[in-house]
Amino acid sequence: MLVQWILLICSAALISSKGLPERIVGGQSVSILSVPWQASLQMYGDHHCGAVIYSEKIVLTAAHCTERKPPYMFSVRVGSSNSGFGGQVVKVSQILEHEAFGKTFAESNDIAVIQLQRNLIMGFGVRSIPLADSSPQPRSLAFVSGWGSIESYGKGSTTLLGTTVAIVDRDSCMSSYRGGISKDMICASAPGKDSCGGDSGGPLVSDGKLVGIVSFGRGCAHSEYPGVYANVAELKPWIVKTIQRL
Ligand code: 4AZ
């Protein structure tokens, strides 16, 4: 009887500690049904980075997630709130990274187009998202999601997390990063909230459009360093042209 009580108390403690709102960084659990364009880019079957569903055959991610690695190492999981099981898993057939990735700064043009071996079955929890045509205004709210760490240098989360951040104006982001921000980047932050390691390649969505792809930052939720994202509106001509080449 005593053993049962100890077990019960231990499991209750475990469950309640998992319920703490210390997710993505400063976020909460979200269902794939509310961010159905979110995908997990897997390397040898393990979550490696986020990705975004563009169409049945195409997902987008960050170039630093695929950097020079061959397609056979990768697959994509969609339609599941958990990065380790459920939904659909489809193998990658081709990866095209931005030719100017890492040219101006280490993370310039941090975007790659991924073609899948077979079509995704679209439906509940599996949907594409349109690309933004113009960059959102500073202070616009945007939602970022992923299976990344809940703190700087921490472990990834197996359940999907998300949080709301605000677009930061270019000049103030420039001064935070001492000029290392190019036009193909856009910054976003909120006190105690941020994307983090393992969220890279995932979506930043504002007003129903994909405005950013998680790229980098100094630490996570650091008050002086916003999260930096590939600026989808600026990169849209490259994305469209590259998909036509596939
Ligand atoms: C990373 O290492 C990473 N705070 C991604 C996003 C941010 C920081 C680090 C933004 O993948």
Side-chain angles (χ1 to χ4, degrees):
M1 190 61 187
L2 182 65
V3 178
Q4 273 100 326
W5 271 107
I6 292 169
L7 273 171
L8 188 69
I9 291 163
C10 287
S11 50
L14 254 174
I15 290 162
S16 60
S17 71
K18 279 197 174 161
L20 289 173
E22 39 164 333
R23 310 300 183 83
I24 211 179
V25 174
Q28 68 253 331
S29 286
V30 293
S31 166
I32 196 70
L33 298 176
S34 60
V35 284
W37 42 82
Q38 172 87 53
S40 162
L41 178 66
Q42 316 226 310
M43 202 161 93
Y44 292 128
D46 286 326
H47 175 80
H48 176 63
C49 268
V52 189
I53 302 174
Y54 174 84
S55 68
E56 290 173 324
K57 223 28 186 295
I58 308 282
V59 302
L60 307 175
T61 192
H64 84 260
C65 288
T66 55
E67 204 184 354
R68 282 178 263 118
K69 295 187 178 84
Y72 71 80
M73 288 169 104
F74 295 102
S75 57
V76 164
R77 186 187 299 277
V78 301
S80 178
S81 305
N82 194 294
S83 63
F85 58 81
Q88 305 164 48
V89 178
V90 178
K91 288 180 180 158
V92 167
S93 65
Q94 209 185 143
I95 303 168
L96 294 175
E97 288 163 8
H98 199 296
E99 298 75 15
F101 166 58
K103 285 276 157 67
T104 316
F105 302 112
E107 310 280 357
S108 294
N109 303 293
D110 192 7
I111 191 161
V113 164
I114 291 180
Q115 189 177 44
L116 302 173
Q117 286 191 9
R118 55 178 181 78
N119 281 1
L120 301 173
I121 301 158
M122 301 299 211
F124 292 118
V126 188
R127 292 240 174 270
S128 60
I129 183 158
L131 307 179
D133 290 301
S134 56
S135 303
Q137 292 301 311
R139 293 182 294 282
S140 310
L141 296 183
F143 194 77
V144 62
S145 48
W147 288 276
S149 310
I150 60 173
E151 60 189 9
S152 299
Y153 316 110
K155 266 200 332 187
S157 167
T158 54
T159 57
L160 185 58
L161 308 170
T163 197
T164 301
V165 288
I167 302 298
V168 171
D169 74 90
R170 173 162 304 281
D171 289 347
S172 90
C173 195
M174 274 276 222
S175 63
S176 297
Y177 286 97
R178 311 203 181 284
I181 298 295
S182 36
K183 265 185 78 180
D184 56 275
M185 301 174 188
I186 189 163
C187 306
S189 70
K193 298 172 170 190
D194 201 1
S195 48
C196 200
D199 292 318
S200 283
L204 178 71
V205 172
S206 184
D207 206 15
K209 301 270 177 75
L210 183 70
V211 299
I213 292 186
V214 179
S215 179
F216 75 99
R218 180 167 297 182
C220 305
H222 190 301
S223 59
E224 276 150 53
Y225 296 99
V228 188
Y229 297 78
N231 188 347
V232 168
E234 283 292 322
L235 292 164
K236 187 176 177 185
W238 179 86
I239 298 169
V240 171
K241 187 185 70 189
T242 303
I243 288 168
Q244 283 166 358
R245 264 174 51 206
L246 283 168

